[in-house]
Amino acid sequence: MSLVKRIGILTAGGDCPGLNAVIRAVVKSALRRNPPIQVVGILDGYSGLVEDRTQPLVESDVSGILIRGGTILGTSNRDNPFNFLGASNAKPRDRSKDAVNTFHRLKLDGLVAVGGDGTLRCALDFAKLGIPVIGVPKTIDNDIGGTDVTFGFDSALAVATDAVDRLHTTAESHHRVLICEVMGRYAGWIALHAGTAGGGDVILIPEIPYDIKKVCESIQHREKRGRSFSIIVVAEGAKAIGGKMVTQGSYRGADKRPRLGGISHHIAEEIEKRTGDEVRVVILGHLQRGGIPTAYDRWLATHFGVHAVELAEQNLWGQMVALRGIHFGETPIAEAVGKLRRVDPQGEGVRTARAVGTSFGD
């Protein structure tokens, strides 16, 4: 019989479709254990753990949330308890002790942390303080190690691909070059997959620095073949050979992470200057994070949530749930956050895109 009677769950970092599906799966599967495991929702990510803002979760709380985007618990991507800023503008300070006190006050046996790289690193830090944790990998960027895919990616990919599809008709009608900038930070998964699925003529990703001359040559080569328009899909973290990623300042918070975005405007300016073509830019931004999760993300998130409860029941703490191939399993959180999962420039995805004539600007 499991000794686990009560677990907490929080969602931290950027929101994405599928978070509610995980919460639902954790609550419903936990309450169906014998004996049932109680679940406490921690509000607004780690800040709820620091500031003791929580609520018990029962089946009625998660009824009907499977298809909803976002998270019913709220989230925050700037409240690291070990370097906590909160709502004030005061100097960040270590409030991990407050978070630990909340954990013990709630009489929790473990914590399920749902999030990306930053969230899981915090989970690992809490594990070192003796807090039993289980990670659930979430990010539209699909860049977490130890798992083949993260939930949220497929939904973001669907939005990006739909955008590329729609850009084709207006680009062709106006004989323009249209650039679609997508998220992904330091990994080009969204750009690669959406560009391939949407028939992008040029795909620019962080893993393959581009030469603007090569990009322009690709456009001009299409024009010589009678194609009067081109579609470029660019990841926000793309950069020119020998250049730097374009940033828009930094996020508010203790870690001061750079805010990527705007590379497409630089590329558009260079293309217009070098070719004389008319260029327009579309930056999808947070559109990729919103809306109803795809069927695949609901399915994946549900499996992740159930498996997280199973790991808790077996006292397999310090693990992150994962999907490898067609099998669900787990990997140590320490290994999962050790290295970002990025696109292989020589991998099958890039080779397939090149085989159908897609340029990567190199």
Side-chain angles (χ1 to χ4, degrees):
M1 181 180 297
S2 173
L3 299 177
V4 176
K5 299 179 180 180
R6 189 174 170 88
I7 60 175
I9 180 172
L10 61 81
T11 55
D15 68 300
C16 75
L19 284 166
N20 284 325
V22 173
I23 297 168
R24 172 181 177 271
V26 167
V27 172
K28 291 175 77 72
S29 62
L31 293 176
R32 282 170 169 74
R33 299 289 157 180
N34 186 21
I37 299 174
Q38 294 180 318
V39 182
V40 176
I42 298 163
L43 304 181
D44 301 324
Y46 285 110
S47 66
L49 200 60
V50 170
E51 299 170 343
D52 199 356
R53 291 182 287 106
T54 65
Q55 69 175 70
L57 294 174
V58 296
E59 286 215 29
S60 59
D61 295 314
V62 298
S63 176
I65 69 171
L66 181 64
I67 65 172
R68 287 172 54 183
T71 165
I72 63 169
L73 295 178
T75 187
S76 172
N77 60 2
R78 61 182 182 84
D79 291 328
N80 181 340
F82 296 87
N83 202 14
F84 191 78
L85 180 64
S88 70
N89 291 318
K91 184 178 180 180
R93 58 196 179 98
D94 185 354
R95 293 194 61 186
S96 57
K97 184 177 180 179
D98 293 325
V100 172
N101 288 340
T102 300
F103 179 89
H104 290 304
R105 186 195 67 78
L106 293 169
K107 297 181 180 179
L108 299 178
D109 297 306
L111 176 67
V112 177
V114 188
D117 183 73
T119 300
L120 295 176
R121 287 182 185 277
C122 278
L124 188 60
D125 288 336
F126 277 117
K128 295 174 182 177
L129 295 180
I131 300 298
V133 295
I134 290 170
V136 179
K138 172 276 322 173
T139 171
I140 67 171
D141 304 333
N142 202 35
D143 60 357
I144 297 177
T147 182
D148 289 348
V149 65
T150 59
F151 75 87
F153 171 65
D154 190 69
S155 298
L157 174 59
V159 172
T161 302
D162 180 67
V164 175
D165 289 344
R166 292 172 183 272
L167 290 178
H168 271 279
T169 55
T170 186
E172 185 172 11
S173 297
H174 288 275
H175 314 298
R176 287 173 174 160
V177 175
L178 278 177
I179 303 176
C180 182
E181 182 177 321
V182 301
M183 286 182 167
R185 292 192 64 76
Y186 306 114
W189 294 108
I190 297 177
L192 175 61
H193 285 240
T196 302
D201 305 299
V202 180
I203 298 173
L204 304 179
I205 60 177
E207 295 86 349
I208 305 177
Y210 66 87
D211 182 341
I212 193 63
K213 293 181 181 179
K214 298 287 186 179
V215 174
C216 293
E217 287 174 3
S218 297
I219 294 170
Q220 292 170 328
H221 180 65
R222 281 178 52 79
E223 292 171 349
K224 290 178 181 178
R225 292 189 292 112
R227 307 299 286 170
S228 61
F229 71 98
S230 292
I231 301 292
I232 300 174
V233 181
V234 56
E236 63 183 355
K239 61 181 180 180
I241 296 173
K244 297 180 179 180
M245 294 179 178
V246 175
T247 63
Q248 306 293 321
S250 59
Y251 288 97
R252 179 172 176 252
D255 59 0
K256 300 297 183 183
R257 290 181 301 118
R259 180 180 295 174
L260 299 178
I263 180 64
S264 52
H265 287 293
H266 291 262
I267 294 171
E269 183 179 347
E270 285 295 320
I271 292 174
E272 286 190 337
K273 182 171 63 177
R274 293 168 182 267
T275 68
D277 289 329
E278 190 175 7
V279 185
R280 293 290 185 272
V281 169
V282 174
I283 300 177
L284 296 185
H286 287 77
L287 280 174
Q288 296 156 94
R289 294 192 179 279
I292 298 172
T294 60
Y296 180 80
D297 271 343
R298 296 179 217 175
W299 172 86
L300 180 62
T302 299
H303 275 275
F304 277 173
V306 170
H307 193 52
V309 174
E310 291 173 345
L311 291 178
E313 189 177 43
Q314 298 168 40
N315 289 304
L316 295 176
W317 306 104
Q319 302 290 310
M320 182 193 79
V321 299
L323 174 64
R324 295 192 187 90
I326 60 174
H327 300 290
F328 286 91
E330 61 279 341
T331 190
I333 296 176
E335 293 182 13
V337 301
K339 184 178 181 181
L340 288 178
R341 179 176 175 273
R342 306 180 73 203
V343 174
D344 180 359
Q346 308 302 323
E348 187 172 349
V350 173
R351 289 191 289 106
T352 297
R354 291 190 192 276
V356 296
T358 306
S359 169
F360 284 84
D362 60 342

